[in-house]
Amino acid sequence: MFPRAGGPHLIASPMNHDLTDFQTDVIDRSQRVPVLVDFWAAWCGPCKMLGPVLEKLATEAAGKWELVKVDTETHPDLAGKFQIRGIPDVRLFHHGTEVARFSGALPEPHLRQWLAENLPTPKRETMARARSLLPAGKAAEAAALLSPLAATDPGDDELAVLLARALVFLDPKAAEQGMARISAGSPWSGDADNVRAIAAAFAAPASLGSQPPGADYLTAIAHLRRGEFDAGLARLTELLQEQPGFDEGRAKVLCLAIFRHLGMRHATTEKHFRAYSMAVNA
């Protein structure tokens, strides 16, 4: 629970109010509706410019999202917790977590655009759900959620890459083909390259499995394709300790690509990354 502020709960409108309790006003409330948090102070000139615009847009939103204002002079603990380095600082919370932020006094047109790009929509909600399934090894479930969206919006590169991240465990060739249109300059090129790396490694010839270490490599791939990341990475790192350049370096590339797929702070990545690093840098 975050600390409570002193003083009254000043409500400017049902969609716009000052903070009384962060847990209640932001974290809990954001489970039901997006909450925009404006960190500000009375002495801050840009805050005085941005504040009325935020309040206007919150009123226009009529409950689709809500605005909570946090005076950093009254709540230095919260300013410290969220590492506020300058104000105004605005954070968007949804389902209890921060999903977007900006700092400074954006002009109203830019602020409207930022809200349009970051406020949750049914499509974004579905994509977020699919994104959470991927590190859990539930590629088939993620693909089932994303495929209908991709069919109706084939021009969305972010969606295409997210779907490919799921499909690469189910149909690597199709996933790789789907990334053909993602250019090096795309914001999603890094994820697309990762899909390509995983797909290339998954295409390991069956002949590798005639004897160790090839059999171990194919077993690791089978674990990974089933979403058994812990078992697959354990096999891969053991193999790399013996032969860092196995399969013309594809084993090393696959291991790193799976780390990136999971996220470098994922518990399974952290469990196996040290062994990987020691193997390939020995």
Side-chain angles (χ1 to χ4, degrees):
M1 179 72 72
F2 289 91
R4 294 182 179 273
H9 188 178
L10 304 176
I11 302 178
S13 79
M15 287 69 69
N16 169 24
H17 59 81
D18 294 332
L19 181 77
T20 56
D21 178 82
F22 198 91
Q23 182 69 37
T24 300
D25 293 354
V26 178
I27 302 301
D28 294 345
R29 185 62 178 161
S30 74
Q31 300 292 346
R32 299 181 292 277
V33 62
V35 176
L36 198 69
V37 180
D38 175 22
F39 290 91
W40 71 289
W43 50 263
C44 167
C47 299
K48 294 177 181 178
M49 297 171 59
L50 181 66
V53 180
L54 289 174
E55 292 161 14
K56 170 188 173 184
L57 296 181
T59 301
E60 285 183 10
K64 293 179 182 177
W65 58 271
E66 297 185 3
L67 174 65
V68 171
K69 301 177 70 66
V70 178
D71 187 337
T72 56
E73 295 293 293
T74 304
H75 300 281
D77 49 345
L78 289 176
K81 179 178 180 63
F82 289 99
Q83 300 181 333
I84 304 300
R85 299 288 181 259
I87 50 175
D89 187 294
V90 178
R91 313 286 177 99
L92 179 63
F93 286 81
H94 190 48
H95 293 319
T97 61
E98 180 188 322
V99 296
R101 69 173 72 176
F102 72 85
S103 59
L106 294 182
E108 183 174 333
H110 293 179
L111 182 52
R112 288 182 181 275
Q113 180 180 352
W114 185 88
L115 288 167
E117 292 173 353
N118 290 286
L119 283 171
T121 64
K123 176 182 174 182
R124 290 178 187 148
E125 290 277 271
T126 300
M127 290 174 68
R129 172 61 180 155
R131 197 174 283 112
S132 71
L133 290 170
L134 292 176
K138 298 179 179 179
E141 292 182 38
L145 288 173
L146 296 169
S147 294
L149 293 180
T152 59
D153 194 358
D156 187 329
D157 286 354
E158 180 184 10
L159 176 57
V161 171
L162 186 58
L163 176 58
R165 289 182 60 201
L167 286 179
V168 75
F169 296 94
L170 310 170
D171 187 344
K173 186 175 181 180
E176 188 173 19
Q177 290 173 344
M179 295 298 88
R181 76 169 198 252
I182 307 300
S183 67
S186 167
W188 318 111
S189 61
D191 283 343
D193 288 343
N194 216 50
V195 168
R196 296 183 187 106
I198 294 173
F202 282 176
S207 60
L208 287 174
S210 59
Q211 59 184 350
D216 294 329
Y217 184 42
L218 294 182
T219 298
I221 287 175
H223 280 304
L224 294 173
R225 291 194 63 175
R226 290 194 297 266
E228 299 165 357
F229 296 121
D230 185 40
L233 288 169
R235 288 267 189 167
L236 267 181
T237 53
E238 288 173 6
L239 172 61
L240 290 171
Q241 287 166 7
E242 297 295 327
Q243 295 192 36
F246 185 77
D247 193 25
E248 300 180 348
R250 280 186 285 268
K252 177 174 65 176
V253 171
L254 174 60
C255 197
L256 184 57
I258 295 297
F259 289 149
R260 288 172 174 161
H261 173 80
L262 294 174
M264 299 307 291
R265 294 186 178 180
H266 190 277
T268 302
T269 298
E270 293 180 343
K271 178 179 178 180
H272 295 286
F273 188 80
R274 178 178 172 81
Y276 162 82
S277 183
M278 292 177 65
V280 301
N281 294 313

